[in-house]
């Protein structure tokens, strides 16, 4: 699954929007204590058990101990649904994670091109996202600069991206909001301008704004360059948000090669208080698969014991 697939799935329901208390008969409640880290499911991940209604899904997530939620497609949802979801999250003590701030140019050298018209469109979309963020109590929004411009040297492209991000930061800073830049891997998203953690780090340092930070997607970076813990450590001061997915398959932890027990232990040990978005699929279908996701996170949710 790629981000476009998640956005499409995230629009899967605009049904009942009452934010009342929900219960789910037959749900395995062996351990519904809050997780040690703020793992954030997305809509559809537990739809077989919780039903199609987004608000009901949020209540189910909270019942299982999840204290955060992310929704790439939140910006495109009806305003009344946004408000209903925000009310449900507030009532359950859940923190809103990322939504996508702009129309990502998957097939266009957007910000890297330096085209002023494209830049203004991007900035307008960022400005529009401020109101969405306020409505749903979000702090972070995802930004992907688009494709590489094959007709320009990388130095010029970087300068073009930096200028766009500096102007976007000026929009977000007064509101305490943060755009998080996500490097994506070459295999799922060939030809994108931003692909490596070090590149994102360099850009954030150059923009030099609290409104411009890194979204470190562990799945993407495992494919792109590996060396996960050393790169997380190198980027640490610029990372504001993580996303999760095992490889291969982009499903829940324990289904692939990534040692999420050690990664979460490191992140917890550094005192990370942000959100880790569960931007992955379920390895198994149906209610069994949904319970497997919950069980997987219980198995890797490690607390660092103090000496």
């Amino acid at each position: 699954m790629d981000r476009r697939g998640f956005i499409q799935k995230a629009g899967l329901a605009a049904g009942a929007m009452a934010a009342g208390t929900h219960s789910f008969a037959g749900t395995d409640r062996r351990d519904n204590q809050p997780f040690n880290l703020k793992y954030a499911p997305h809509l559809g991940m537990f739809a077989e058990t919780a039903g199609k209604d987004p608000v009901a899904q949020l209540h189910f997530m909270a019942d299982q101990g999840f204290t955060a939620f992310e929704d790439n497609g939140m910006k495109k949802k009806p305003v009344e649904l946004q408000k209903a979801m925000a009310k449900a999250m507030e009532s359950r003590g859940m923190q809103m994670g990322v939504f996508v701030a702009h129309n990502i140019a998957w097939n266009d050298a957007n910000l890297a091109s330096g085209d002023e018209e494209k830049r203004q469109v991007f900035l307008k979309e960022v400005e529009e996202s401020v109101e969405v963020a306020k409505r749903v109590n979000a702090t972070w929004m995802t930004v992907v600069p688009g494709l590489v411009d094959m007709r320009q040297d990388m130095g010029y492209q970087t300068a073009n991206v930096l200028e766009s991000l500096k102007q976007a930061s000026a929009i977000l800073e007064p509101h305490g909001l943060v755009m998080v830049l996500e490097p994506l891997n070459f295999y799922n998203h060939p030809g994108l301008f931003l692909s490596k953690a070090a590149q994102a780090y360099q850009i954030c340092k150059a923009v030099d704004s609290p409104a411009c930070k890194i979204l470190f997607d562990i799945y993407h970076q495992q494919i792109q360059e590996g060396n996960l813990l050393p790169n997380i450590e190198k980027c640490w001061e610029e990372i504001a948000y993580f996303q999760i997915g095992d490889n291969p398959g982009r499903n829940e932890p324990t289904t692939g090669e990534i040692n999420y027990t050690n990664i979460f232990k490191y992140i917890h040990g550094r005192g990370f208080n942000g959100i880790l978005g569960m931007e992955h699929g379920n390895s198994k279908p149906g209610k069994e698969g949904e319970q497997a996701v919950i069980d997987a996170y219980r198995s890797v949710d490690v607390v660092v014991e103090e000496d």
Side-chain angles (χ1 to χ4, degrees):
M1 265 181 281
D2 60 20
R3 183 177 304 284
R4 283 166 286 189
F6 280 114
I7 292 174
Q8 290 167 357
K9 285 189 175 182
L12 58 81
M17 294 184 287
T21 301
H22 292 66
S23 62
F24 300 90
T27 300
D28 186 345
R29 295 304 232 354
R30 288 172 299 174
D31 187 355
N32 60 0
Q33 296 301 307
F35 288 92
N36 295 300
L37 290 170
K38 296 177 184 177
Y39 309 116
H42 55 81
L43 292 181
M45 182 165 273
F46 303 118
E48 290 293 324
T49 307
K52 300 295 185 181
D53 174 28
V55 171
Q57 291 183 48
L58 286 168
H59 282 292
F60 176 81
M61 294 169 192
D63 287 345
Q64 308 314 306
F66 293 106
T67 56
F69 167 76
E70 71 173 20
D71 189 343
N72 287 331
M74 179 65 86
K75 185 176 180 179
K76 297 183 178 181
K77 286 181 168 57
V79 170
E80 289 307 311
L81 180 55
Q82 293 176 6
K83 290 179 179 178
M85 294 174 70
K87 183 178 179 181
M89 284 186 277
E90 184 177 8
S91 73
R92 300 304 303 271
M94 297 181 76
Q95 191 172 1
M96 178 64 197
V98 291
F99 64 92
V100 176
H102 63 115
N103 289 313
I104 297 174
W106 296 109
N107 302 300
D108 182 34
N110 188 19
L111 301 187
S113 71
D115 183 285
E116 187 59 30
E117 184 175 344
K118 293 177 180 178
R119 175 178 291 154
Q120 291 306 315
V121 170
F122 167 71
L123 294 174
K124 183 175 183 295
E125 291 173 337
V126 170
E127 193 166 1
E128 292 167 349
S129 293
V130 171
E131 294 308 311
V132 178
K134 290 180 179 179
R135 193 176 299 128
V136 300
N137 300 315
T139 297
W140 306 277
M141 57 187 75
T142 305
V143 166
V144 176
L147 291 181
V148 166
D149 187 341
M150 298 299 292
R151 296 180 182 273
Q152 294 195 57
D153 184 89
M154 198 63 174
Y156 298 125
Q157 294 183 65
T158 300
N160 293 335
V161 171
L162 287 173
E163 181 58 31
S164 293
L165 297 179
K166 286 178 180 179
Q167 292 187 36
S169 294
I171 294 170
L172 297 174
E173 276 186 30
H175 305 282
L177 300 175
V178 183
M179 59 182 166
V180 284
L181 311 181
E182 183 178 9
L184 303 176
N185 76 73
F186 70 94
Y187 183 78
N188 295 119
H189 301 285
L192 288 183
F193 170 82
L194 185 60
S195 61
K196 293 186 176 182
Q199 182 189 13
Y201 181 83
Q202 181 184 35
I203 289 171
C204 288
K205 285 296 183 186
V207 174
D208 192 23
S209 167
C212 183
K213 296 295 179 182
I214 296 172
L215 191 171
F216 195 105
D217 188 308
I218 297 165
Y219 165 79
H220 283 300
Q221 289 310 301
Q222 171 72 357
I223 294 172
Q224 182 66 36
E225 52 191 342
N227 206 31
L228 290 170
L229 287 177
N231 279 325
I232 291 171
E233 183 175 8
K234 286 282 190 181
C235 292
W236 186 261
E237 62 185 317
E238 297 295 334
I239 295 174
Y241 200 98
F242 286 95
Q243 282 182 329
I244 302 160
D246 217 334
N247 181 57
R250 201 173 187 181
N251 291 315
E252 69 269 16
T254 74
T255 59
E257 66 184 357
I258 302 176
N259 188 336
Y260 271 105
T261 299
N262 281 351
I263 290 173
F264 291 157
K265 184 177 180 180
Y266 176 84
I267 291 171
H268 186 274
R270 292 292 300 262
F272 184 72
N273 194 40
I275 291 175
L276 300 93
M278 296 160 59
E279 198 188 37
H280 58 73
N282 299 0
S283 63
K284 301 174 184 178
K287 294 181 180 180
E288 178 187 359
E290 294 176 357
Q291 186 61 50
V293 171
I294 297 167
D295 292 343
Y297 277 89
R298 288 292 175 196
S299 73
V300 295
D301 185 46
V302 174
V303 177
V304 177
E305 296 181 1
E306 297 182 1
D307 295 332

